[in-house]
Amino acid sequence: GLFLSFSHFLRDLGSPAEEVSYADAVVVLTGGFGRAEEGFNLFKEGKGGYLIISGVEGSSRLIEIFPGKDLSATVDTSRILLDVESRSTLDNAVNVKRIVDDKGFKSLVLVTSNYHMKRAYTIFGKVMDGDVKIYRHPVKGPNFRDDWWKHNKSSKLILNEYFKYCGFYAWQRWAEL
């Protein structure tokens, strides 16, 4: 069971981004290299009507998230929403759900690191309760290597994330009893 579960988890690491022509919002979960930049590029390309950056520091402003960029020259910055309250993936999902409900969104592009995507997608799917189509857009950061088992940093990332995923899965099953 555990080995099969881990092999499924690893298989999903290599999954490419799902094709999407347009979603109501691009949602970036902060905490990993390249996530915000990738989400911004998707938003700028018109893949989402809004850009939600979830998990930023309370005092953060766009100029600090995207240093050296004049965002207002390329996008409507009033359509970039910052979630400053989230401190965990579950917080991200709950706080984004409030925005989704408030705005009436029906689709999201979820941007996070490839090693974090399975857990994030599972949590978002549970919190959104099937009401919202979620497209996965994994980002591969510099700390992740395809031959992860040969690299200490990558191995720690993978194993840590796998155990968090298992913990969420177990908590979810227990909560349904």
Side-chain angles (χ1 to χ4, degrees):
L2 194 59
F3 178 76
L4 188 60
S5 161
F6 188 57
S7 65
H8 285 289
F9 180 82
L10 292 176
R11 185 192 63 213
D12 288 350
L13 287 176
S15 297
E18 293 178 297
E19 284 299 316
V20 57
S21 55
Y22 179 83
D24 294 319
V26 173
V27 177
V28 173
L29 306 186
T30 60
F33 181 84
R35 296 178 189 181
E37 193 70 36
E38 185 71 14
F40 177 76
N41 289 337
L42 290 169
F43 176 61
K44 192 169 85 174
E45 292 166 10
K47 299 287 185 180
Y50 281 81
L51 174 61
I52 302 168
I53 305 174
S54 182
V56 297
E57 293 295 318
S59 61
S60 291
R61 296 171 313 171
L62 287 178
I63 192 80
E64 293 153 347
I65 298 169
F66 301 103
K69 283 195 172 185
D70 179 13
L71 301 186
S72 58
T74 56
V75 298
D76 177 359
T77 55
S78 71
R79 293 181 162 273
I80 300 176
L81 309 175
L82 303 181
D83 160 29
V84 299
E85 295 174 17
S86 294
R87 296 291 169 258
S88 70
T89 308
L90 184 56
D91 288 349
N92 294 136
V94 168
N95 290 325
V96 168
K97 172 88 164 118
R98 285 192 198 116
I99 296 168
V100 163
D101 289 348
D102 182 55
K103 302 269 188 204
F105 292 163
K106 295 293 177 205
S107 57
L108 303 173
V109 177
L110 183 61
V111 178
T112 190
S113 297
N114 62 331
Y115 59 83
H116 182 234
M117 183 57 77
K118 187 169 185 80
R119 182 167 60 98
Y121 181 78
T122 301
I123 292 171
F124 267 73
K126 188 74 175 164
V127 169
M128 298 297 159
D129 208 20
D131 296 337
V132 177
K133 172 70 177 147
I134 303 168
Y135 298 92
R136 290 172 277 224
H137 194 94
V139 175
K140 195 187 297 186
N143 290 334
F144 177 81
R145 305 280 296 264
D146 287 329
D147 56 349
W148 58 270
W149 58 92
K150 296 178 183 176
H151 302 276
N152 204 16
K153 215 175 220 181
S154 291
S155 296
K156 283 181 180 173
L157 275 175
I158 299 297
L159 292 172
N160 186 33
E161 190 57 41
Y162 174 68
F163 288 118
K164 285 180 179 179
Y165 172 75
C166 289
F168 176 77
Y169 187 79
W171 172 77
Q172 178 184 335
R173 297 295 296 231
W174 179 78
E176 290 174 356
L177 295 176

